[in-house]
Amino acid sequence: ARIGEVTRKTKETDVKVSINLDGTGVCRSSTGIPFLDHMLDQIASHGLFDVNVMAKGDLHIDDHHTNEDIALALGTALLQALGDRKGISRFGDFTAPLDEALVHVVLDLSGRPFLAYDMDIPTERVGTYDTQLVEHFFQSLVNTSGMTLHIRKLSGKNSHHIIEACFKAFARALRKATEYDERRMGSIPSSKGVLSRA
């Protein structure tokens, strides 16, 4: 099974994350940030990953550290689960609508961390969640997973719809990238013969 499990403990947070790339879309999350729990459920449901996230953080300050450390741990768990990346499709591309919102996500499980983020979110908050934390979530995940990730809003006026479309598109793109390509017959999808963070 392609499973990654990570525990990350600092003075600011205590985070435990696991991901099964060959799951059925089950999400169990308790982060103390309701909107983030909702978005993690989108990743699991639309990626068909099993995702478990248990986090305690300094939410009395704000959501920043908890949001960041969950994403760092999730990226590390994804890195573990991918292993040597033999046989995977590597690239993923998906455009997801949610009512008036439309978000395009393209990613490459290249071993090279890079985020291009072009999302104009009209409000500062959705519920209690600071919408600036969306970019920070994906930057943190990219940094530890070694993923190249492009996110672009094509349309949208409702902040909730925009962010949710983003997470759904990300989940579908990641699902495509992690799925096996039968024609590869277990080979590494790179002309270099290796995909790693090194």
Side-chain angles (χ1 to χ4, degrees):
R2 296 185 297 167
I3 296 172
E5 297 179 335
V6 173
T7 298
R8 178 184 173 87
K9 191 167 186 176
T10 71
K11 291 181 180 179
E12 298 166 342
T13 65
D14 186 355
V15 176
K16 294 180 181 177
V17 170
S18 69
I19 185 168
N20 179 354
L21 299 181
D22 304 306
T24 58
V26 175
C27 181
R28 296 182 182 89
S29 67
S30 178
T31 68
I33 308 171
F35 187 74
L36 184 57
D37 285 330
H38 182 42
M39 293 304 103
L40 292 169
D41 189 44
Q42 304 311 308
I43 292 175
S45 177
H46 293 279
L48 289 179
F49 310 124
D50 291 342
V51 177
N52 294 292
V53 180
M54 298 296 134
K56 294 179 181 178
D58 53 1
L59 300 180
H60 59 285
I61 296 174
D62 66 8
D63 295 345
H64 184 97
H65 297 138
T66 304
N67 179 85
E68 176 182 31
D69 287 358
I70 288 168
L72 290 170
L74 182 61
T76 304
L78 176 59
L79 184 69
Q80 285 182 10
L82 285 168
D84 59 14
R85 309 183 191 207
K86 285 183 178 177
I88 65 168
S89 294
R90 176 179 164 179
F91 298 96
D93 180 348
F94 202 85
T95 304
L98 180 54
D99 296 348
E100 89 298 344
L102 187 65
V103 178
H104 185 207
V105 171
V106 182
L107 61 85
D108 176 10
L109 299 175
S110 60
R112 297 185 301 274
F114 179 81
L115 174 66
Y117 181 88
D118 184 10
M119 287 258 291
D120 175 32
I121 302 173
T123 62
E124 292 183 359
R125 294 191 177 275
V126 173
T128 60
Y129 188 75
D130 182 349
T131 55
Q132 287 184 333
L133 295 180
V134 176
E135 180 176 8
H136 195 57
F137 179 91
F138 285 107
Q139 184 65 69
S140 299
L141 188 148
V142 160
N143 288 347
T144 51
S145 67
M147 177 191 305
T148 296
L149 176 62
H150 291 251
I151 299 172
R152 186 160 56 106
K153 184 186 91 171
L154 302 179
S155 65
K157 296 180 179 179
N158 181 285
S159 296
H160 188 133
H161 292 171
I162 293 164
I163 298 168
E164 187 167 334
C166 170
F167 275 83
K168 286 178 175 176
F170 171 75
R172 286 292 185 131
L174 186 61
R175 176 178 162 186
K176 285 184 177 182
T178 58
E179 284 178 341
Y180 287 115
D181 180 347
E182 291 183 4
R183 292 182 63 197
R184 289 222 165 264
M185 299 177 65
S187 66
I188 292 173
S190 171
S191 58
K192 294 183 296 185
V194 63
L195 285 174
S196 70
R197 290 295 314 274

